[in-house]
Amino acid sequence: MHKLLSKGVLNKGRTLNPWLMILPAFLILLVFNIFPLLWSLGISFHRFSVIIREIPRYVGGLNYINVITSAEAWDRIIRTGIYLAYSLSFQFGLGLLLSLLLFEDFKGKRILITLFTIPLMIAPVASSLFFRYLFDENLGPVNNFLKHVVGYGPLWFSSDISPLGIPYALFTVILVETWIWTPFVMFLLTAGMSSIPQDLIEQSRVDSLKFRHKFRYVILPYIKPMIALALIFRFMDSLKTFDSIYILTAGGPGATTELISVYIYRVAFERWDFGSATALSYLVLVIVIFMTNVFMRYILGGERS
Amino acid sequence: MRKRNQYTTPLILYRVRKSLKFALLIALLMIYLIPIYGMFSLAFKPRAEIYSGLFELTRITLENFEEAYRYGAYSAITNSIIVTVGGVSIALILAVLASYAFSRFAIKGKNILMFYILSTRMMPPITLIIPIFIMFFNIGLKGTYLGLILVYAMMSIPLSIWMIKSFIDDIPKDIDQAALVDGHSTMFILFKIIIPMVIPGIAASAAFAAIMLWNEFLFALLLSGVDTKPTSVLLSSIRGERGFNWGRVAAIEVVYILPIIVLVFWLQKYMLRGLTFGTVRR
Amino acid sequence: MSKSEYVIQVKNIVKTYNGKIVLNNISFALKRGELLAILGPPGSGKTTLLKIIAGLVKQDAGDVIINGRIVNDLPPYERGVSLVFETLALYPNMSVYENIASPLIAEKKDKEYIDKRIGEITRLLKIEHILDRKADKLSGGERQRVAIARALAKEAEIYLLDEPLSNLDAKIRYALRTEFKKLKSLLGKTIILATSDPSDALALGDNVVLLFNGAIIQEGRPSDIYYAPRNISIARYLTGNILNEVSISIDTHGDDVSTDIGREFSIDPYFLKVLREVNETSIILTSYADVCIIDKFIENCSGIKVIGEFIGYEYRGSEYLLYARKERRIFRSLRTNLPNVTFGEKVEVCIPHRNALLFSSKTGDLIR
């Protein structure tokens, strides 16, 4: 039905059925998204490996039980949790700082924002590979610089413990991810701040509010929805982090930086255990959906009351 | 009002604070852009000076680019172009049709469909890659351009639909109604009236989809073959080598990211929509 | 099939949006060559009504009959209607020529015919010189003309115009209205014009339908509506809230007549008789500004006369709108010349009984 015509009246013969317009796009999604998704669910209930041309065998919830009771899987999940906590706090802390610095208007603000968004748009594979050069333990420019200044350069890709209490390799991954994604947070927060009415900003100037109060009562209410949105996007995408880890450390040394998506990849394409891999990826999907709902309720719901 | 503020806080303090803030901002920007600068400087450096310091660029040479060419960068870039253009083209045509239908027609279950399309953004690609890998392995699409192009079309259709729909939604419905009274067909209205009005929006959507595909790595890693591997896979394969040439890597990277940097400047106006899937407009 | 006497009949149209009634039982009919003005404040349902007639919105109940044929289930282009949108809805990426040609292209007319027809119409509307311009590069008045031209290009039984003169500044608006009047008699087309401006409706309409909150509250010739508005809110609306009002209380037994502007007034004996005959104790006496007189001295006032204070005037094209105050009430008078008084000076205000309107202050309905 054509919305413009309300229901019932159509330009007979000249109006195309809207389903026909949606169909081609939907077919692609059906074949390459919905179908694989369901198939994947099916696989998760089978014992299955392509490499030995094994015939898939139905095993019920065995894969799920195996995954849930596996110390290895839990280790990766905890690692991912630690990674998420550090990485998201860095991104939001730095992103908030930048957006506050960009709060007031000045000449060239737009071009500055554009420059900040470059790391966000270039391939993580390219930037991560370059960070391997920058952080090269022996000859890299970062350690070169540090050795000159403090006389010591840490082993960035080792499992040595960094001052943050996590291995250096994980720290490096977090550093690179922060470099890539901080502009995303900054950009959304800046957009939220630009929606604050000019009157309110000027009023707060006249009242010469302390920054603490200005932030609490003037800025925060307007950027709250953007924080929620940024948090949802960043949470979802952080769980998917694969490219940068694969390039930087490939999950190593050992399993130091083997976060959940790299782990699933290894289970699937190094051990060829498709059943466990799909079961795990379904668990991740459930966590994503659950957490997204929590964020939406918590932040957007808190707004209402 | 401003004046009053300057009197309530001493003028000098106000100025100092302001310039300190600006200095901090610039310092952060510098730190931020060093890796990008480094990539460019390294790419043009002679091999012997690779570890000699990032900022010194005493002699500019193109030898890294020559070596990158010999290493197969040319075919990798070509492959990237083929799969990106292929994926975006398919996605764009299909998404334009679908987003017009979603924007202008009352369709049963529209909200559910739109939410499903949005939710594809949430799905970890790793969930999809195993069945697609088996599927392509069995029907012989693994290692072909077509296989990767189809998967890329699937990946960029949701973003394109949401973004293009957000642009079409901005056009008043009276325009469509006027065309209906005139007696035009749906296809005429879409292609002769609506699309010309959202060309910049469609171009921006295409650019965002293209950037996503150009940068894509996981699917390319598993589904491309020796002859069809795009740049991201070529770069990742360098990683495994011992004692490789960083100048060559930087040269490939420069060619790989330069188009994106150029696009970023043009896309600034649409960045918010692009980053948020068209769900936030300004 | 015998042609109906009416080009269009609208019968008992009802439309609700989300449970809210937008149009309530609307009926009217229109003969060939007539212009019907639908007059109502913004949000009264005019646009929805026109879109229902055009077939862009489906009514919940009621019929639209064009040339004796029920068109309820016909698509817009089979109804023989043409519509000028309130938003104009020009195709911004197309030239003026392409915009006007649009309905003709849809009808698959040949190039020669299209050129000829566009030539005629653009000459009529004086926009021949902008045919090559893009529609988004036009001024407000030009856009309005192009939109009207596009609607006229189509051979329709009936032309629907939604606020065709709105969004224009006063000067262009006035010029376009005069031109439109000429155009109307020249074309002899059947037209329904929706407007929220009473002066447009009264100046252009052969008949006027007053639409308030989705219901027709009065219809008739412009003069009928102007000189006999059914209730006081219509009168206020028609004058844009510059109606002169005096509340009068009459003691039916004695001679006592009191007003809400004090006791210092003189009243024509004949007029007093008229007031008595009305047989209401409380009346609102109103008059339009062009009837009311404000001057230094008024010799013969065949109505009610008070002495007020001259507080100012504004120039309105060819006339002056004078303001005088008595107690807290403001009186306005439309004169061609300024009286010889200064601000703050005493003036006499006369409301002649002949064209004064009397409303019951209880119900607001017209008494006489």
Side-chain angles (χ1 to χ4, degrees):
Chain A
M1 298 298 153
H2 206 292
K3 197 202 259 169
L4 303 167
L5 297 169
S6 175
K7 52 177 175 262
V9 197
L10 295 170
N11 263 14
K12 265 180 217 141
R14 307 191 191 191
T15 305
L16 199 64
N17 187 333
W19 284 104
L20 277 179
M21 290 192 259
I22 298 172
L23 195 66
F26 192 70
L27 268 181
I28 296 256
L29 290 176
L30 191 73
V31 175
F32 296 104
N33 189 277
I34 297 175
F35 175 61
L37 211 58
L38 295 176
W39 191 359
S40 184
L41 187 65
I43 295 171
S44 72
F45 291 103
H46 288 79
R47 197 186 145 69
F48 180 38
S49 164
V50 276
I51 211 72
I52 51 169
R53 300 248 162 209
E54 188 182 23
I55 294 160
R57 196 150 45 81
Y58 180 77
V59 291
L62 191 66
N63 288 325
Y64 286 93
I65 294 168
N66 280 346
V67 163
I68 289 169
T69 54
S70 142
E72 193 185 65
W74 277 108
D75 173 73
R76 307 304 187 262
I77 289 171
I78 290 164
R79 266 174 219 285
T80 309
I82 294 168
Y83 158 78
L84 277 176
Y86 277 108
S87 170
L88 293 189
S89 345
F90 285 170
Q91 288 165 31
F92 276 80
L94 202 56
L96 185 63
L97 174 68
L98 281 174
S99 60
L100 284 172
L101 289 174
L102 288 163
F103 183 52
E104 273 170 69
D105 276 328
F106 54 84
K107 231 187 189 170
K109 178 171 154 178
R110 286 183 65 87
I111 193 89
L112 224 64
I113 292 176
T114 309
L115 288 172
F116 269 114
T117 46
I118 290 174
L120 186 58
M121 305 306 276
I122 64 175
V125 172
S127 39
S128 303
L129 193 56
F130 194 74
F131 272 103
R132 267 180 57 92
Y133 161 78
L134 289 179
F135 285 97
D136 189 285
E137 288 153 352
N138 304 314
L139 300 160
V142 172
N143 273 6
N144 227 340
F145 175 78
L146 286 177
K147 275 172 194 157
H148 270 105
V149 179
V150 288
Y152 162 78
L155 301 172
W156 293 100
F157 298 100
S158 70
S159 50
D160 294 358
I161 301 299
S162 72
L164 285 177
I166 50 174
Y168 265 111
L170 188 58
F171 176 67
T172 307
V173 168
I174 291 169
L175 214 61
V176 172
E177 279 288 303
T178 304
W179 182 80
I180 296 174
W181 288 107
T182 300
F184 180 87
V185 180
M186 177 207 82
F187 199 88
L188 260 61
L189 296 189
T190 306
M193 286 180 195
S194 71
S195 70
I196 303 174
Q198 200 58 37
D199 294 356
L200 201 58
I201 297 170
E202 277 169 11
Q203 189 59 43
S204 73
R205 276 216 198 102
V206 172
D207 299 344
S208 26
L209 282 188
K210 283 211 171 63
F211 174 75
R212 190 157 44 93
H213 294 127
K214 187 166 143 188
F215 182 74
R216 173 95 174 69
Y217 299 109
V218 179
I219 298 175
L220 197 59
Y222 283 88
I223 61 170
K224 245 184 171 176
M226 283 302 192
I227 293 179
L229 200 66
L231 202 58
I232 290 167
F233 272 107
R234 283 312 307 128
F235 179 78
M236 288 180 336
D237 290 346
S238 296
L239 276 179
K240 294 186 209 165
T241 312
F242 177 83
D243 303 7
S244 54
I245 302 172
Y246 188 91
I247 299 295
L248 283 167
T249 64
T256 313
T257 55
E258 199 169 284
L259 304 188
I260 195 74
S261 47
V262 179
Y263 178 62
I264 297 174
Y265 174 85
R266 277 200 161 165
V267 172
F269 297 103
E270 282 174 22
R271 296 185 203 160
W272 300 101
D273 181 358
F274 282 177
S276 302
T278 47
L280 247 175
S281 72
Y282 255 88
L283 288 180
V284 172
L285 190 62
V286 170
I287 293 172
V288 169
I289 293 168
F290 176 76
M291 289 304 283
T292 308
N293 274 318
V294 168
F295 288 142
M296 286 213 235
R297 289 250 170 83
Y298 181 71
I299 302 182
L300 298 177
E303 183 125 304
R304 241 175 274 128
S305 58
Chain B
M1 280 178 189
R2 224 175 150 144
K3 243 181 199 148
R4 195 162 148 194
N5 180 41
Q6 290 174 352
Y7 287 125
T8 42
T9 35
L11 186 59
I12 190 96
L13 197 71
Y14 174 82
R15 290 245 171 97
V16 166
R17 213 189 292 164
K18 196 160 182 177
S19 28
L20 271 179
K21 257 159 77 174
F22 195 69
L24 180 60
L25 191 62
I26 296 298
L28 283 169
L29 181 70
M30 299 298 268
I31 294 171
Y32 223 80
L33 292 184
I34 282 176
I36 308 275
Y37 168 80
M39 241 182 247
F40 279 82
S41 119
L42 192 58
F44 291 98
K45 245 181 214 185
R47 183 159 194 179
E49 296 172 21
I50 275 173
Y51 288 107
S52 70
L54 216 46
F55 298 99
E56 304 146 33
L57 195 57
T58 45
R59 195 161 63 82
I60 287 178
T61 166
L62 290 177
E63 65 183 52
N64 292 322
F65 289 90
E66 282 160 29
E67 217 191 304
Y69 180 85
R70 257 179 274 130
Y71 188 74
Y74 177 75
S75 82
I77 293 281
T78 315
N79 290 340
S80 282
I81 292 171
I82 291 170
V83 292
T84 303
V85 170
V88 170
S89 312
I90 294 175
L92 212 57
I93 295 166
L94 305 190
V96 164
L97 282 171
S99 50
Y100 181 68
F102 279 127
S103 175
R104 294 304 207 243
F105 287 83
I107 300 164
K108 245 188 204 146
K110 175 161 90 176
N111 287 343
I112 295 172
L113 265 178
M114 284 304 281
F115 181 76
Y116 155 69
I117 292 171
L118 183 66
S119 75
T120 57
R121 175 73 173 69
M122 291 198 265
M123 294 170 196
I126 203 92
T127 322
L128 297 176
I129 191 115
I130 293 167
I132 290 177
F133 181 82
I134 299 171
M135 181 159 66
F136 280 18
F137 194 79
N138 287 330
I139 59 176
L141 275 177
K142 194 188 166 304
T144 64
Y145 289 126
L146 182 66
L148 211 50
I149 286 173
L150 286 171
V151 169
Y152 279 3
M154 175 276 286
M155 285 176 68
S156 42
I157 279 174
L159 173 73
S160 307
I161 288 182
W162 269 86
M163 267 194 87
I164 296 172
K165 179 180 176 291
S166 83
F167 286 106
I168 295 179
D169 284 346
D170 290 349
I171 299 177
K173 294 195 171 56
D174 274 3
I175 299 267
D176 302 58
Q177 293 194 332
L180 281 173
V181 173
D182 285 352
H184 292 302
S185 67
T186 309
M187 284 298 108
F188 184 95
I189 298 173
L190 176 58
F191 284 102
K192 290 286 168 65
I193 297 171
I194 300 299
I195 290 182
M197 290 175 73
V198 288
I199 285 287
I202 291 177
S205 312
F208 277 106
I211 291 174
M212 177 174 80
L213 301 185
W214 184 258
N215 293 346
E216 206 285 328
F217 173 59
L218 182 60
F219 281 92
L221 178 67
L222 286 166
L223 300 180
S224 68
V226 184
D227 302 324
T228 55
K229 67 169 179 237
T231 321
S232 58
V233 179
L234 177 79
L235 283 173
S236 81
S237 67
I238 293 173
R239 189 202 169 273
E241 295 171 17
R242 290 252 162 244
F244 55 89
N245 178 358
W246 279 113
R248 186 180 66 204
V249 172
I252 300 173
E253 285 180 334
V254 162
V255 178
Y256 187 40
I257 68 167
L258 195 61
I260 306 297
I261 294 178
V262 174
L263 273 181
V264 166
F265 281 88
W266 169 61
L267 281 174
Q268 198 55 38
K269 214 167 89 189
Y270 306 101
M271 194 61 84
L272 192 60
R273 286 201 214 216
L275 293 181
T276 60
F277 231 62
T279 52
V280 182
R281 293 169 219 175
R282 201 162 18 167
Chain C
M1 200 175 77
S2 69
K3 285 237 162 160
S4 164
E5 177 191 2
Y6 297 109
V7 176
I8 178 167
Q9 286 168 277
V10 169
K11 283 190 177 164
N12 310 103
I13 294 283
V14 176
K15 176 72 190 173
T16 54
Y17 271 126
N18 305 326
K20 197 178 154 274
I21 296 174
V22 183
L23 291 173
N24 191 4
N25 207 20
I26 304 293
S27 302
F28 57 79
L30 193 52
K31 286 182 192 144
R32 189 164 300 280
E34 277 188 339
L35 190 149
L36 175 76
I38 299 176
L39 173 64
S44 55
K46 302 185 298 289
T47 299
T48 310
L49 182 56
L50 291 193
K51 284 191 173 173
I52 286 174
I53 295 171
L56 293 166
V57 173
K58 176 91 174 163
Q59 67 270 34
D60 297 344
D63 295 322
V64 177
I65 302 164
I66 294 175
N67 269 339
R69 189 167 60 137
I70 297 179
V71 295
N72 293 355
D73 295 321
L74 289 184
Y77 74 97
E78 280 180 14
R79 293 187 173 205
V81 296
S82 194
L83 172 62
V84 177
F85 288 76
E86 185 178 4
T87 55
L88 303 183
L90 296 181
Y91 312 132
N93 54 301
M94 293 188 185
S95 71
V96 169
Y97 179 93
E98 289 169 313
N99 263 282
I100 303 173
S102 162
L104 304 173
I105 290 168
E107 286 168 10
K108 303 205 162 50
K109 298 278 200 251
D110 57 63
K111 179 101 172 62
E112 212 174 311
Y113 174 87
I114 294 175
D115 282 344
K116 192 171 138 271
R117 186 142 179 89
I118 290 182
E120 289 165 15
I121 291 163
T122 50
R123 220 167 304 127
L124 209 62
L125 286 161
K126 302 195 185 75
I127 46 173
E128 313 105 296
H129 60 288
I130 54 166
L131 279 180
D132 296 331
R133 294 252 290 278
K134 266 186 69 181
D136 57 357
K137 303 254 183 320
L138 300 176
S139 71
E142 287 168 339
R143 284 160 47 79
Q144 212 93 30
R145 282 159 197 264
V146 173
I148 294 171
R150 183 176 67 185
L152 289 179
K154 190 175 171 182
E155 292 278 8
E157 290 293 334
I158 180 156
Y159 294 84
L160 309 170
L161 283 72
D162 195 0
E163 300 273 10
L165 301 176
S166 66
N167 311 319
L168 289 176
D169 58 68
K171 212 171 134 196
I172 303 174
R173 191 190 169 93
Y174 192 75
L176 215 63
R177 192 200 292 165
T178 330
E179 218 173 280
F180 197 84
K181 235 172 174 170
K182 263 191 280 170
L183 208 66
K184 178 192 140 196
S185 54
L186 206 67
L187 295 168
K189 308 235 184 210
T190 314
I191 296 170
I192 298 179
L193 177 139
T195 178
S196 54
D197 184 332
S199 43
D200 282 349
L202 298 173
L204 296 171
D206 296 316
N207 275 304
V208 177
V209 163
L210 265 166
L211 194 65
F212 272 49
N213 295 323
I216 295 180
I217 50 167
Q218 190 170 2
E219 55 183 309
R221 311 216 143 262
S223 55
D224 297 344
I225 289 185
Y226 189 71
Y227 291 114
R230 191 177 274 171
N231 64 44
I232 193 161
S233 50
I234 299 175
R236 284 178 188 146
Y237 175 65
L238 291 178
T239 56
N241 283 327
I242 57 163
L243 191 67
N244 297 311
E245 295 178 29
V246 179
S247 291
I248 302 175
S249 306
I250 304 155
D251 187 343
T252 35
H253 306 296
D255 270 358
D256 200 23
V257 175
S258 62
T259 68
D260 64 343
I261 50 166
R263 298 192 153 270
E264 299 146 29
F265 58 90
S266 63
I267 192 157
D268 184 63
Y270 173 74
F271 187 44
L272 194 61
K273 209 176 121 229
V274 173
L275 290 178
R276 287 251 169 70
E277 279 164 7
V278 164
N279 206 19
E280 284 252 2
T281 50
S282 186
I283 296 172
I284 304 173
L285 167 69
T286 72
S287 87
Y288 295 134
D290 55 348
V291 176
C292 180
I293 305 163
I294 293 176
D295 211 336
K296 195 152 191 171
F297 299 108
I298 300 166
E299 301 242 333
N300 298 312
C301 179
S302 62
I304 194 162
K305 186 162 89 172
V306 294
I307 297 183
E309 178 194 355
F310 185 61
I311 54 170
Y313 68 90
E314 57 190 80
Y315 186 61
R316 291 210 165 173
S318 55
E319 290 165 312
Y320 295 94
L321 185 64
L322 313 177
Y323 293 91
R325 185 171 56 198
K326 169 72 179 172
E327 307 282 302
R328 246 183 252 131
R329 199 155 292 265
I330 309 282
F331 293 95
R332 305 156 190 93
S333 166
L334 213 51
R335 315 304 298 163
T336 44
N337 55 334
L338 275 178
N340 188 20
V341 283
T342 51
F343 297 153
E345 214 177 314
K346 293 270 178 257
V347 282
E348 295 187 341
V349 179
C350 171
I351 299 174
H353 82 265
R354 215 151 47 82
N355 286 319
L357 302 167
L358 303 181
F359 297 96
S360 153
S361 51
K362 248 184 279 154
T363 58
D365 288 343
L366 184 70
I367 300 168
R368 200 212 71 161

